[in-house]
């Protein structure tokens, strides 16, 4: 999303200092002229500076750096939240990446452009490993706190009672059955996702170890860069699939309200 250049120009430290000075001068002198002049200059400033390419590049670069810091901080928090075994595996990947960089650092200057691409992709894969491991941790918690057998029993009980209930109760319980069926589908999909995530994490580890071994003798970093690019595409596809499952099984507000209504708002009947 492009920044609001007018807003950024107005909130510039120097611009605010100038406006503040004009306001102070008007108050001290009890003369509105400094404030009127400042308003005219401000209108010209906001009409020209936000449209200048150099200013826009500066704002975009600043926004990129801020976004990168926020992204890195989020990854750091995800990493700290992982179980020790996952953190150890990530630390091993970091060491492997350092070894790959060191092996390619000795190449000629003409190869450094590919080494730069290599570094970017290595960092991207390390971040993807953390994100996937974080998803897996959430999946584990969901599977440990959800009983599919209890959900099936609840759904079967509701189906047995349907013929004996009034039309209004039948309507409500039919929606409950649909919700329980959806939860069973989610449970199975989460189990499948765990297997996909584990396979993808191991693929990242295997490919990086292979590249470390090859980097000791390989003289063309472009081959490594292309191999990493293929791995990056696979990882992105896996992350998209994980997010897609979360979106598909996200209940609408109406169904969530129905789910709360039969749980009494306390979760006593939740499974």
């Amino acid at each position: 999303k492009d920044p609001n250049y007018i807003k950024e120009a107005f909130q510039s430290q120097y611009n605010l200092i100038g406006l503040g000075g004009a306001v102070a001068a008007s108050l001290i002198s009890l003369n509105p002229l400094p404030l009127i002049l400042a308003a005219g200059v401000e209108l010209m400033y906001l009409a020209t500076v936000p449209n200048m390419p150099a200013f826009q590049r500066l704002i975009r670069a600043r926004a990129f750096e801020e976004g990168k810091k926020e992204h890195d901080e989020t990854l750091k928090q995800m990493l700290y939240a992982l179980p020790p075994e996952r953190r150890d595996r990530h630390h091993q990947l970091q060491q492997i990446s350092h070894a790959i960089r060191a092996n390619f650092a000795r190449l000629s200057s003409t190869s450094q452009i590919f080494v730069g691409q290599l570094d970017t992709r290595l960092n991207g894969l390390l971040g993807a490993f953390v994100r996937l491991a974080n998803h897996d941790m959430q999946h584990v918690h969901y599977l440990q706190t959800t009983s599919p057998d209890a959900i099936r029993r609840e759904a079967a009980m509701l189906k047995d009672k349907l013929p004996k209930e009034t039309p209004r109760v039948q309507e409500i319980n039919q929606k409950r059955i649909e919700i329980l069926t959806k939860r069973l589908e989610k449970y199975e999909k989460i189990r499948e996702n765990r297997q996909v995530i584990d396979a993808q994490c191991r693929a990242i580890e295997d490919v990086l170890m292979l590249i470390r071994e090859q980097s000791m003798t390989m003289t063309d970093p472009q081959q490594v860069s292309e191999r990493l690019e293929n791995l990056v595409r696979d990882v992105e596809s896996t992350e998209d699939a994980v997010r897609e499952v979360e979106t598909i099984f996200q209940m609408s507000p109406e169904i969530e309200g129905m789910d709360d209504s039969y749980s009494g708002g306390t979760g006593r009947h939740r499974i």
Side-chain angles (χ1 to χ4, degrees):
K1 185 178 180 181
D2 288 336
N4 186 332
Y5 297 113
I6 295 177
K7 178 181 177 183
E8 295 291 339
F10 177 79
Q11 293 180 342
S12 169
Q13 178 183 1
Y14 302 106
N15 181 58
L16 295 178
I17 291 174
L19 290 176
V23 172
S26 292
L27 291 175
I28 293 173
S29 64
L30 299 179
N31 186 346
L33 184 59
L35 188 57
I36 294 174
L37 292 176
V41 173
E42 182 70 11
L43 289 176
M44 290 187 293
Y45 167 77
L46 293 178
T48 55
V49 171
N51 297 318
M52 296 174 60
F55 177 79
Q56 293 181 357
R57 287 195 297 270
L58 174 64
I59 296 302
R60 286 197 298 269
R62 187 182 302 165
F64 175 80
E65 288 300 322
E66 292 175 355
K68 185 176 182 300
K69 289 180 181 178
E70 182 178 349
H71 174 263
D72 292 344
E73 182 61 29
T74 300
L75 281 180
K76 187 183 297 184
Q77 293 175 2
M78 286 184 178
L79 179 61
Y80 289 155
L82 293 178
E85 183 267 339
R86 289 285 189 176
R87 289 202 302 270
D88 290 343
R89 289 170 64 182
H90 180 266
H91 180 66
Q92 292 173 2
L93 288 178
Q94 284 182 315
Q95 292 180 321
I96 293 173
S97 298
H98 290 328
I100 294 173
R101 293 186 182 98
N103 289 335
F104 281 112
R106 56 183 170 77
L107 296 177
S108 63
S109 58
T110 57
S111 301
Q112 293 308 307
I113 182 173
F114 298 109
V115 174
Q117 295 175 357
L118 183 73
D119 188 68
T120 300
R121 285 168 182 153
L122 285 173
N123 289 333
L125 288 170
L126 289 174
F129 182 91
V130 174
R131 290 192 299 272
L132 288 172
N134 186 266
H135 278 295
D136 185 63
M137 182 179 66
Q138 296 173 3
H139 289 354
V140 169
H141 176 73
Y142 174 83
L143 295 177
Q144 290 177 342
T145 56
T146 303
S147 171
D149 292 335
I151 296 176
R152 294 188 188 96
R153 288 195 299 269
E154 180 78 8
M157 181 185 68
L158 290 173
K159 289 178 181 178
D160 292 339
K161 290 182 179 180
L162 279 180
K164 306 173 186 177
E165 295 168 337
T166 63
R168 177 56 181 160
V169 175
Q170 285 182 351
E171 180 183 355
I172 295 174
N173 284 340
Q174 187 61 51
K175 290 182 179 179
R176 290 178 60 190
I177 293 171
E178 292 174 4
I179 293 172
L180 293 171
T181 302
K182 193 178 187 70
R183 292 181 64 193
L184 285 174
E185 293 175 3
K186 180 178 181 178
Y187 184 89
E188 293 302 323
K189 194 63 180 178
I190 291 295
R191 286 184 57 191
E192 179 184 337
N193 259 9
R194 278 214 67 204
Q195 297 174 359
V196 173
I197 289 174
D198 182 66
Q200 188 66 78
C201 287
R202 294 189 182 281
I204 293 174
E205 293 168 323
D206 292 341
V207 171
L208 290 186
M209 284 190 287
L210 175 62
I211 290 174
R212 179 188 59 183
E213 295 165 359
Q214 293 179 336
S215 66
M216 297 176 184
T217 56
M218 187 178 293
T219 58
D220 184 6
Q222 184 176 3
Q223 298 178 15
V224 176
S225 181
E226 291 172 351
R227 177 168 291 171
L228 281 179
E229 185 177 2
N230 293 332
L231 179 58
V232 167
R233 282 198 293 265
D234 291 341
V235 171
E236 289 175 348
S237 177
T238 299
E239 290 192 273
D240 288 341
V242 171
R243 285 191 292 266
E244 183 180 358
V245 169
E246 295 173 350
T247 302
I248 290 174
F249 289 103
Q250 184 177 7
M251 291 185 178
S252 65
E254 293 82 3
I255 293 183
E256 285 183 340
M258 176 62 65
D259 197 17
D260 288 337
S261 69
Y262 75 74
S263 67
T266 63
R268 287 177 299 171
H269 298 292
R270 292 182 183 273
I271 300 170

